[in-house]
Amino acid sequence: MDLATLLGLIGALGVIIGAIALGGDVMLFINLPSIFIVFGGTAFAVLFRSTLRQFLGSFKVAMGAFFTKSTPPQTLIDEAVALANVARREGLLALEGTEISHPFLEMGIGLCIDGHPPEVVHKVLTKDINLSIQRQEAGHNVFRATGEVAPAMGMIGTLIGLVQMLANMSDPKAIGPAMAVALLTTLYGAVIANAFAIPIAEKLKFRSIEEKLNKTLILESISGIQEGLNPRVLEQLLMTYLPESQRTVSDAKS
């Protein structure tokens, strides 16, 4: 589980709820018409902007922000160099049955062992990378849309509340509930967008960049292994995927 995502979500909501609790009655901030307008309106508007599959699939994609733990690139480099050493000494078939930590690396090595030519292996792995990024972008777009729509729905709720209030100025009892709808819908929309939807969308975007980097590194590794590239040369090539500071430390250790 990604601790930063969990702590960020709990912390943001905790600060808001804590401020409400310290200020008085929490029940004052619960209004069913406001919830209906913002939550229901946002869900249907986002659904209108996407397909049903993308909308429902976005919840599964969102779990990646909480439970996906990216493999450090240095770990992938070390594993790829070790595999390259074995392949160079004993041939690609010697890699059969080798325990490989990353599924994408395992798939690439499997294609090599099966005897597919380099261009076929490269095409299959590249296609996998592109489709994976597309799926993640679809989930990211749903939460980005939620972040855009929720405040707008809050504003719509505010306008509804103000119209109801102005239409019933003669009835003092109707002013309070109408004002509650007017103010709470804006609050709900802002909270949904800024404490949940936009942070989730940005974290998914970050995860997508991480995964693309790792898979591109693996693709480079597979190409080098299949070509019989010297493991030391392959390592130097893969080190370019690391920041300069980490690259220097790794070179010192090797």
Side-chain angles (χ1 to χ4, degrees):
M1 177 177 288
D2 182 65
L3 194 58
T5 304
L6 184 62
L7 289 177
L9 177 62
I10 294 175
L13 295 179
V15 168
I16 295 170
I17 294 172
I20 291 173
L22 290 173
D25 187 5
V26 176
M27 296 304 295
L28 293 174
F29 290 84
I30 298 177
N31 182 273
L32 291 180
S34 299
I35 292 173
F36 178 75
I37 291 170
V38 178
F39 285 83
T42 299
F44 284 112
V46 172
L47 178 60
F48 189 20
R49 293 175 59 162
S50 59
T51 66
L52 183 60
R53 171 179 284 186
Q54 289 174 340
F55 182 79
L56 297 177
S58 66
F59 298 100
K60 182 178 179 181
V61 173
M63 292 296 101
F66 292 94
F67 298 105
T68 300
K69 189 173 182 180
S70 181
T71 305
Q74 181 63 62
T75 301
L76 294 175
I77 292 173
D78 293 340
E79 188 168 10
V81 172
L83 293 171
N85 274 311
V86 174
R88 188 173 174 82
R89 291 195 311 265
E90 305 174 31
L92 286 173
L93 291 178
L95 298 177
E96 189 171 7
T98 303
E99 186 175 345
I100 299 174
S101 61
H102 198 286
F104 190 67
L105 179 58
E106 183 178 19
M107 181 177 72
I109 293 296
L111 291 171
C112 295
I113 293 173
D114 290 341
H116 296 291
E119 58 272 16
V120 172
V121 174
H122 188 276
K123 183 177 180 180
V124 170
L125 297 182
T126 302
K127 190 71 172 179
D128 184 277
I129 293 173
N130 293 335
L131 292 177
S132 177
I133 297 303
Q134 287 179 14
R135 287 191 293 268
Q136 291 173 359
E137 284 181 350
H140 166 267
N141 290 337
V142 168
F143 284 97
R144 174 59 65 181
T146 302
E148 295 173 358
V149 171
M153 284 296 168
M155 183 58 66
I156 290 172
T158 297
L159 295 174
I160 291 172
L162 290 175
V163 169
Q164 291 174 340
M165 183 185 70
L166 294 173
N168 294 281
M169 291 294 289
S170 59
D171 184 5
K173 293 183 180 180
I175 295 176
M179 278 297 294
V181 173
L183 297 177
L184 288 178
T185 50
T186 300
L187 174 63
Y188 290 162
V191 170
I192 291 173
N194 296 288
F196 177 70
I198 294 176
I200 287 287
E202 291 302 314
K203 181 53 72 77
L204 290 175
K205 183 178 179 181
F206 175 74
R207 291 293 185 211
S208 179
I209 293 171
E210 274 190 330
E211 182 175 346
K212 184 176 181 180
L213 175 68
N214 280 353
K215 286 191 171 182
T216 305
L217 186 154
I218 290 172
L219 179 61
E220 195 89 54
S221 304
I222 296 298
S223 297
I225 291 172
Q226 197 168 22
E227 292 171 9
L229 200 64
N230 184 291
R232 181 60 181 171
V233 175
L234 177 62
E235 182 180 22
Q236 294 298 321
L237 175 63
L238 298 180
M239 284 296 173
T240 59
Y241 286 87
L242 297 177
E244 190 72 33
S245 57
Q246 296 181 23
R247 204 182 306 169
T248 303
V249 171
S250 178
D251 286 344
K253 288 181 179 180
S254 59

